[in-house]
Amino acid sequence: MTDALTPQAPRSGRTRSRRWVPTAIGATVAVLIVVLVWNLFTGALFFYNADEAIERRSELGDDRFTLQGTPVGCSIVAGVQGSDAVTAFTVAFDGALVDVVHRGEPAELFEGGTPVVLDGQWVNDSAGVDGFEGLADDGWHYASDRMRVKHDEDYINDDEYEERLAEADALAAAGDCTA
Amino acid sequence: MTAIAPASNHTGSRTTRLLGAAVLLGLVALILLGFFGAPEDDEQRDAVRMIFIHVPSAIFTYVAFVTTAIGSVMWLLRRSIWWDTVAGAAAEIGLLFCGLTLFTGSVWGRPTWNTYWDWGDVRLVTTLILFLMMIGYLSVRSLGGDEGATATRAAVIGVLAAAILPIVNRSVEWWENNTLHQKSTLTDGDLENLTLFTLFVGFAVWGLFFAWSLIHRFRITWLERELRAIDLDRALDERRAERDDV
Amino acid sequence: MTHLGYLLVGWGTTLAAGAAYAISLIRRGRRLSARVPADRRRWMTADDE
């Protein structure tokens, strides 16, 4: 006779399936974490600021890379390059200037003074957009096809903000723009 | 005095009712301030109003996962069931907050960053890893079997998850060329007074909701343990009765 | 108000998720409390009940 208090019944199928589900979830989660960490180390979003991008121009060649800079408000021009509608502007970072020609819709918050993060590549040619006087004007421009905005951590409601924007627009319209 | 109250079937108490009422009142104040009181931002316009739900969710994700880590350490050091229960309860609530942080951040990101998500963004991806780690933590807790071994396995994951919290939080400083995310609103930001006040109302509401949920979730786990103990006692009694009959 | 659609989705989902979680806690608590004797529910013995 077996001891009545000795556990004897094998685990039911239902209990086994209950253990199987969290185990599968845990394993999936572990795999996903490895993939995400690998992605961070290998294909992470990494941008060069405008000054670094100029410094590494020969090294970058015609490779695609990500560029960060702050658009100079009065330089922004909507125009045409070839048959494409583009937005041309100059970005600044730490005193360095890069002329940019962006194909496609600019970001909703795109405006002078708010940093942008762009995907694209160097082109060894001037921008060639009517009405755009690139402030860099160094025979190069950055051809971009993806724009994101990197806004700052300030959340301010300044009465003079609209006035400043209007002032930059007026300068751009008059073709009077200095960095 | 420890007089037993009438056996009402719920996990509420006077404290949780007060907390619950405060959450509801606070939410009304937060909605009014968030939508009609706080000013719009110069650049983001009204999209800035996402800050009042996104930042409290993020901060209380940290609070919840730190609570889980403390509970986990206390389990590992002292085998304290009370702390293990706190750890599990906080993890579940933290997972909700972390999910909301990712979701509201993504929805906020579309009109402001011009993208919902970027797989290479270090702040976004480390937050997602934290979210996945806590799913793993809760999966391990639900494995069943030996309670002590399960609690120990979960506690190790709870401590590991807390170890990546500083990486998540500081990522915008350490890898500022790898993220679209702005720096810390609270330590580096410049906010309008009413925006800051509304944000603190958000912290208060999230804090009260965290406390309310933690107490209820703790009691639920407590009841689950009691039920297992009752079932075991009953099974043992039945076996003893069978043996006595033989 | 600008960006109202994004605000409604963000706030709406947050409030709905919080409410759903709160309701699930209350329901789980009620279901389990009904199966556990009152003297084994420690918070039922506190002064503030």
Side-chain angles (χ1 to χ4, degrees), chain A residues 108-109, chain C residues 3 6:
Chain A
E108 191 181 335
L109 292 193
Chain C
H3 306 104
Y6 294 108

Side-chain angles (χ1 to χ4, degrees), chain A residues 60-76:
Chain A
L60 288 165
D62 56 4
D63 290 350
R64 280 180 68 81
F65 68 98
T66 306
L67 169 78
Q68 189 208 210
T70 305
V72 179
C74 60
S75 72
I76 301 170

Side-chain angles (χ1 to χ4, degrees), chain A residues 22-170:
Chain A
T23 304
I25 292 172
T28 309
V29 160
V31 170
L32 282 174
I33 289 173
V34 170
V35 170
L36 288 173
V37 171
W38 178 257
N39 178 63
L40 267 187
F41 278 108
T42 55
L45 165 77
F46 177 83
F47 46 78
Y48 290 112
N49 295 320
D51 57 336
E52 298 165 313
I54 293 170
E55 234 170 71
R56 292 168 179 266
R57 191 141 52 193
S58 56
E59 178 192 327
L60 288 165
D62 56 4
D63 290 350
R64 280 180 68 81
F65 68 98
T66 306
L67 169 78
Q68 189 208 210
T70 305
V72 179
C74 60
S75 72
I76 301 170
V77 169
V80 175
Q81 191 185 56
S83 57
D84 296 328
V86 297
T87 307
F89 53 97
T90 300
V91 295
F93 193 95
D94 206 17
L97 298 168
V98 173
D99 293 335
V100 176
V101 176
H102 175 74
R103 275 187 170 70
E105 279 291 300
E108 191 181 335
L109 292 193
F110 171 66
E111 63 188 18
T114 304
V116 287
V117 174
L118 305 158
D119 287 348
Q121 63 198 121
W122 282 120
V123 176
N124 188 0
D125 197 0
S126 57
V129 176
D130 283 345
F132 175 60
E133 301 288 336
L135 297 174
D137 198 22
D138 53 4
W140 290 80
H141 74 274
Y142 181 83
S144 149
D145 53 23
R146 187 178 181 210
M147 181 191 292
R148 284 145 294 173
V149 167
K150 187 172 164 58
H151 65 79
D152 61 21
E153 56 279 1
D154 296 338
Y155 303 96
I156 294 297
N157 186 282
D158 181 358
D159 293 339
E160 292 165 16
Y161 179 75
E162 296 295 336
E163 287 171 27
R164 287 203 306 275
L165 279 186
E167 209 171 284
D169 287 346

Side-chain angles (χ1 to χ4, degrees), chain B residues 1 6-10 13-15 35 44-46 49 92 104 110 217 219-220 223 226-227 230, chain C residues 1-3 6-7 10-11 13-14 21 25 28 30 32-33 37-38 40-41 43-44 47-49:
Chain B
M1 190 180 139
S8 46
N9 292 329
H10 53 71
S13 61
R14 181 185 292 171
T15 308
F35 278 86
Q44 300 190 24
R45 312 296 296 268
D46 288 304
R49 302 183 194 286
E92 190 176 284
T104 55
R110 182 63 187 83
R217 189 64 188 83
R219 289 171 178 175
I220 286 168
L223 288 172
E226 289 297 312
L227 266 181
I230 289 168
Chain C
M1 187 169 281
T2 67
H3 306 104
Y6 294 108
L7 288 171
W11 279 73
T13 304
T14 300
Y21 184 65
L25 286 181
R28 280 147 87 188
R30 287 201 169 147
L32 290 164
S33 291
R40 295 182 79 147
R41 285 180 260 155
W43 59 93
M44 298 298 297
D47 271 350
D48 69 350
E49 294 305 320

Side-chain angles (χ1 to χ4, degrees), chain B residues 93-160:
Chain B
I93 304 160
L95 187 71
L96 171 72
F97 287 156
C98 193
L100 288 174
T101 304
L102 289 165
F103 182 78
T104 55
S106 176
V107 173
W108 192 11
R110 182 63 187 83
T112 54
W113 295 340
N114 201 34
T115 185
Y116 284 109
W117 184 263
D118 196 312
W119 286 105
D121 187 301
V122 68
R123 166 58 79 83
L124 273 54
V125 173
T126 52
T127 306
L128 180 60
I129 289 171
L130 185 66
F131 181 77
L132 291 171
M133 283 188 82
M134 294 321 283
I135 290 179
Y137 172 90
L138 290 171
S139 299
V140 167
R141 282 192 78 90
S142 66
L143 271 174
D146 179 65
E147 281 190 33
T150 300
T152 301
R153 285 188 209 112
V156 171
I157 299 174
V159 173
L160 281 176

